[in-house]
Amino acid sequence: MPQSQISCPRCRQMIPAQVEQLFDVTAEPAAKQRLLGRVSNYARCPFCGFEGPLSTPIVYHDNDKELLLTFFPSELGLPVNEQEKLVGPLITQVMNRLPTEKRKGYLLRPQSFLTYQSMIERILEADGVTKDMLDEQQKRINLIQRLLQVTTPDVRAEIIKENAALLDEAFFGMFNRLIEAAIQSGQQPTAQAMSALQEELLDGSEYGRQLKGQFEEIQAAVKTLQEVGQGLTREKLLEIFIAAPTEARLKALVSLTRNGLDYSFFQVLSERIEKASAAERASLEALREKLLDFTNQMDKALEAQMKAADEFIEQILAAPDISQVVAQNVEQFNNEVIAQVLETKMREASQKQDNARLQKIQQIVMALQQASTPPELELIQALVDAPNEAAMEQLLAANEAMVSDELGGMIGSLMGQMEQQQAENPEAAALLGRLEAVYRIVLKFQMKKNMGK
């Protein structure tokens, strides 16, 4: 979501911030994370150091949980009728997005909150987050803020030692999400400071050292498998498992070779057990139990990821504007599981000849392609489609910043591809001619640009 220029609440200098009033998670699942992660409506001023929430009205909607929440900051000092004028259009927007069958009674009774925190607690409560869990989360947030404010390494080390009980999986998970949120909102200094602090936390806490150890074990496992290379067989894989120096290394190896631990592999292991001596048999049987346990854990985790990916895609398919929601959540599609589930849904819709559903899935695919297409390629396509030289020059003038050696290189690369295909593909030969014409116009325009004409 694009940032706006706002006046810092303290020093009044103009600073960038992501201001958002409607968080409709039914239409856009990522909106929830922006609200809870303080990506939106949160200011960090590089001039005076101010950091805190912005005073802005908020409407939050979740159709699945039947939540329609409103918050209006009291410091704005507006009477109730003026507040309703501001949030009313947002609620109308929510209702207009929903199909008729999903418009329920809760939409007529929005819940109003006097404080921002009470609204957040209501959202989390609907997710099954208890008051005790919220208190623990707040303790971790306070600890992070305290550590970021301390400039002396010795003092930070002492604080880390005193709060060892809070430095657990939940803490590091939250810490990573806050770093990601800082990066996404363009707060690079904050992200860099948090990344540096993360290294201290990994070295200075018991759980952090465990995480670091797990990463090192994965690196060692990757190196072992790379040394074997393409000659890896089930028999060699079994030998690698037997030689694993620690259980952590074994688990790392299993995570990297899960697809190879199939029926045939366990048959090889069973045959090895049958032929083994009594002493070796006990060790191999214990290994088999560990491998079965590890693979079972991984399969359950993957199943949970597949379910979450399925729900994510279904939410997008139900959105009124699929292309817009995809563009707002494009980073989540980098997840391999989501891509796999999307491909499965497309294949199933095609097999069932469900054209309406297939069309929606194809909208997701096209939106992803558009989001991942470099602007230079879009410009080249527009130039190829231009009716004449004058139209091409107008396009180049409108996109002068992109007219560079890189643009010429991309056109040259495309020309090379078409040259290879033209003998077998008449369309490639025709496109080559258009690209050659575009290339000449681009070179001519660039020469004029360089000469200052």
Side-chain angles (χ1 to χ4, degrees):
M1 188 172 186
Q3 291 193 331
S4 305
Q5 290 292 320
I6 66 165
S7 174
C8 170
R10 180 187 293 165
C11 69
R12 300 305 173 189
Q13 291 273 9
M14 297 304 293
I15 60 173
Q18 190 161 300
V19 181
E20 193 171 2
Q21 293 182 334
L22 176 58
F23 296 84
D24 189 353
V25 302
T26 302
E28 186 195 348
K32 183 176 183 178
Q33 185 57 44
R34 291 201 300 273
L35 178 65
L36 299 181
R38 292 187 172 182
V39 174
S40 294
N41 303 332
Y42 200 81
R44 296 175 179 86
C45 180
F47 301 103
C48 68
F50 171 83
E51 183 170 342
L54 298 173
S55 296
T56 185
I58 290 174
V59 172
Y60 179 90
H61 175 243
D62 186 337
N63 183 254
D64 290 338
K65 294 184 172 63
E66 297 191 3
L67 292 181
L68 181 59
L69 316 179
T70 65
F71 164 66
F72 205 97
S74 58
E75 56 266 29
L76 295 181
L78 292 178
V80 174
N81 61 327
E82 292 297 325
Q83 294 179 20
E84 291 176 351
K85 287 181 182 179
L86 286 172
V87 301
L90 299 176
I91 294 176
T92 301
Q93 189 176 340
V94 165
M95 296 183 70
N96 290 341
R97 285 176 175 176
L98 285 173
T100 305
E101 65 273 13
K102 291 194 174 183
R103 296 179 184 177
K104 303 176 184 178
Y106 75 94
L107 293 168
L108 303 175
R109 301 183 301 275
Q111 294 177 268
S112 300
F113 292 86
L114 297 177
T115 67
Y116 177 86
Q117 184 59 32
S118 61
M119 180 186 66
I120 297 299
E121 289 177 2
R122 179 67 185 92
I123 294 169
L124 294 174
E125 179 188 349
D127 288 340
V129 179
T130 66
K131 184 67 168 60
D132 289 341
M133 293 164 68
L134 286 175
D135 290 342
E136 287 298 310
Q137 183 184 51
Q138 189 60 49
K139 288 179 184 177
R140 292 179 175 89
I141 291 173
N142 293 341
L143 175 58
I144 292 171
Q145 292 174 340
R146 184 182 174 195
L147 288 167
L148 286 171
Q149 291 168 356
V150 174
T151 58
T152 309
D154 292 343
V155 176
R156 276 198 302 271
E158 190 61 32
I159 294 173
I160 290 171
K161 184 178 179 181
E162 291 173 354
N163 294 274
L166 290 176
L167 302 177
D168 53 9
E169 181 179 1
F171 176 89
F172 280 96
M174 177 191 296
F175 202 93
N176 281 330
R177 289 193 296 274
L178 289 173
I179 292 177
E180 291 172 2
I183 293 172
Q184 291 173 1
S185 60
Q187 302 293 328
Q188 296 301 327
T190 301
Q192 290 171 2
M194 293 189 72
S195 296
L197 174 58
Q198 188 177 50
E199 289 300 317
E200 294 183 40
L201 291 165
L202 288 171
D203 291 329
S205 65
E206 181 62 30
Y207 188 82
R209 288 190 288 271
Q210 290 178 16
L211 284 179
K212 198 169 184 178
Q214 290 172 8
F215 178 72
E216 291 170 352
E217 291 290 357
I218 289 176
Q219 285 184 310
V222 169
K223 184 178 179 182
T224 299
L225 295 171
Q226 286 176 337
E227 289 172 352
V228 178
Q230 295 183 350
L232 185 63
T233 63
R234 291 180 176 85
E235 289 75 15
K236 286 184 179 179
L237 182 58
L238 177 56
E239 293 299 333
I240 290 173
F241 287 154
I242 293 172
T246 64
E247 187 169 307
R249 181 74 55 82
L250 179 63
K251 193 167 187 177
L253 286 164
V254 171
S255 70
L256 295 169
T257 60
R258 173 63 188 92
N259 291 338
L261 274 70
D262 52 13
Y263 176 80
S264 298
F265 171 83
F266 282 102
Q267 192 172 32
V268 170
L269 177 52
S270 296
E271 291 172 358
R272 178 76 174 262
I273 292 173
E274 290 175 3
K275 297 175 182 178
S277 63
E280 187 185 11
R281 183 179 295 119
S283 176
L284 289 171
E285 287 176 344
L287 173 63
R288 181 169 60 185
E289 290 302 313
K290 287 181 182 178
L291 293 177
L292 288 169
D293 182 45
F294 291 159
T295 55
N296 184 48
Q297 291 177 26
M298 291 174 190
D299 290 347
K300 285 184 177 179
L302 178 60
E303 183 180 348
Q305 291 175 25
M306 296 284 281
K307 182 179 178 182
D310 184 88
E311 292 174 351
F312 171 69
I313 293 174
E314 288 299 329
Q315 285 181 321
I316 291 179
L317 290 172
D321 189 337
I322 290 176
S323 299
Q324 180 184 14
V325 178
V326 170
Q328 292 166 336
N329 294 273
V330 67
E331 292 183 1
Q332 295 196 46
F333 282 92
N334 293 330
N335 185 313
E336 186 177 342
V337 175
I338 290 178
Q340 182 181 341
V341 171
L342 182 62
E343 184 179 347
T344 300
K345 287 182 178 292
M346 179 178 287
R347 185 170 58 252
E348 290 174 349
S350 180
Q351 290 171 348
K352 294 178 181 178
Q353 296 184 342
D354 187 345
N355 293 329
R357 183 173 175 82
L358 182 60
Q359 187 177 14
K360 287 186 175 183
I361 296 172
Q362 288 172 339
Q363 278 185 260
I364 294 178
V365 175
M366 287 189 291
L368 287 171
Q369 290 173 343
Q370 290 174 357
S372 60
T373 301
E376 290 81 2
L377 280 181
E378 292 183 358
L379 176 57
I380 292 171
Q381 184 63 58
L383 290 167
V384 168
D385 295 337
N388 51 48
E389 183 174 326
M392 290 185 195
E393 290 180 345
Q394 287 179 354
L395 280 168
L396 292 172
N399 297 275
E400 186 176 350
M402 279 194 280
V403 182
S404 62
D405 292 340
E406 288 77 8
L407 180 65
M410 291 178 73
I411 298 172
S413 177
L414 290 170
M415 288 167 59
Q417 294 175 31
M418 294 306 105
E419 284 177 352
Q420 294 176 0
Q421 299 174 22
Q422 64 178 335
E424 300 177 357
N425 185 353
E427 292 183 1
L431 181 56
L432 175 60
R434 293 291 297 159
L435 285 169
E436 289 174 344
V438 167
Y439 190 62
R440 289 193 298 271
I441 299 299
V442 169
L443 287 180
K444 178 181 174 182
F445 185 90
Q446 191 171 9
M447 287 178 64
K448 288 183 178 179
K449 177 182 175 184
N450 292 338
M451 293 173 65
K453 294 183 178 179

